[in-house]
Amino acid sequence: MKLFIDTANLDEIREISSWGVLDGVTTNPTILSREKMDYRTLIDAILKLVDGPISVEAVNEKAEKIIEEARILSKISENIVVKIPITPEGLAATKVLSKEGVKINMTLVFSVNQSILAAKAGATYASPFLGRLDDIGSDGMTLLSDIVTVYQNYGFKTQIIAASIRSPQHVVDAALIGADVCTIPYKVFTQMVRHPLTDKGIERFLNDWKKVKK
Ligand code: G3P
């Protein structure tokens, strides 16, 4: 499973990248709005930090305008993936853009039907938002599992990004189900690496090291 970080914060990206585990970055307008830097400078800085797919969202709603915007974004770097919300206009734009070789991450996916349409339109990635479904009393993991099954049934090439991740358990479940990618907030990365028995074990080994004859 590839691990992306779901942030535009350069310190967070730098730190997780330094662990040697980072395959890419996803952003959205909300994530970009949390940073002080203007978004183009930010995207350029992220591209310098991570050599992998960087998702940036198109904000136009009409197919023609989405296409225009996506072409501009994709010219920034071959690592740019354009996020497009799943709508009829978004699908139409994705069909055109995917034929041109523009990589699309079809976002705000909340149903198997939407994921089928994203794959048929040629999206490189589809992003089901697991946490947001859980938030309304639905079950994000069941959706993820169903999408994995359907994509396997038909050999769809679109990669599934488990998105809207809220906890380390979400990451484990997404991995067990077989998501291609998990895009993880910084806080969840820091929760994934820690275990109380690891901390306790290190403390004991360091204490015992002091007793070793040197
Ligand atoms: O990658 C999708 C993500 O940014 C949405 O997460 O926490 O806003 O539901 P969240």
Side-chain angles (χ1 to χ4, degrees):
M1 185 167 68
K2 287 180 194 142
L3 302 184
F4 292 178
I5 189 165
D6 198 29
T7 186
N9 184 281
L10 295 178
D11 292 334
E12 294 180 353
I13 296 170
R14 204 174 286 116
E15 183 183 336
I16 304 304
S17 176
S18 78
W19 296 2
V21 298
L22 198 57
D23 298 301
V25 179
T26 52
T27 70
N28 62 37
T30 306
I31 283 172
L32 291 174
S33 74
R34 293 188 190 125
E35 306 306 316
K36 292 204 175 77
M37 220 180 270
D38 76 90
Y39 89 96
R40 259 315 303 269
T41 314
L42 201 50
I43 299 300
D44 287 342
I46 294 172
L47 284 161
K48 281 195 188 114
L49 286 179
V50 180
D51 185 17
I54 313 294
S55 284
V56 183
E57 194 150 335
V59 290
N60 279 285
E61 291 182 273
K62 291 281 170 212
E64 231 171 81
K65 289 282 171 196
I66 298 172
I67 292 168
E68 244 173 64
E69 189 182 359
R71 282 177 182 149
I72 293 169
L73 287 171
S74 69
K75 282 200 180 76
I76 298 174
S77 156
E78 61 177 21
N79 278 346
I80 290 288
V81 176
V82 183
K83 256 186 168 180
I84 299 180
I86 170 89
T87 62
E89 299 280 336
L91 284 169
T94 298
K95 187 73 191 173
V96 173
L97 290 161
S98 59
K99 277 194 182 148
E100 291 175 9
V102 177
K103 293 182 272 303
I104 305 299
N105 174 356
M106 198 114 248
T107 188
L108 290 165
V109 169
F110 291 100
S111 74
V112 178
N113 280 320
Q114 289 178 324
S115 78
I116 294 171
L117 296 170
K120 295 290 291 182
T124 307
Y125 302 99
S127 291
F129 276 28
L130 312 179
R132 290 194 194 182
L133 277 173
D134 293 353
D135 289 347
I136 60 159
S138 196
D139 182 2
M141 283 304 155
T142 302
L143 171 66
L144 181 66
S145 169
D146 289 346
I147 296 174
V148 168
T149 303
V150 170
Y151 278 19
Q152 278 171 357
N153 285 349
Y154 296 100
F156 286 140
K157 297 276 180 289
T158 302
Q159 295 177 54
I160 304 163
I161 303 183
S164 187
I165 292 292
R166 301 281 159 77
S167 69
Q169 191 57 44
H170 266 164
V171 181
V172 173
D173 291 341
L176 288 170
I177 287 167
D180 300 288
V181 183
C182 195
T183 189
I184 305 170
Y186 171 79
K187 185 180 160 205
V188 176
F189 266 111
T190 63
Q191 292 168 328
M192 285 166 71
V193 74
R194 300 303 294 269
H195 195 287
L197 289 179
T198 306
D199 295 341
K200 218 171 148 188
I202 290 172
E203 198 185 333
R204 186 163 154 197
F205 284 150
L206 289 178
N207 275 331
D208 289 343
W209 176 245
K210 288 178 196 149
K211 300 175 207 154
V212 172
K213 289 187 184 61
K214 298 168 195 114

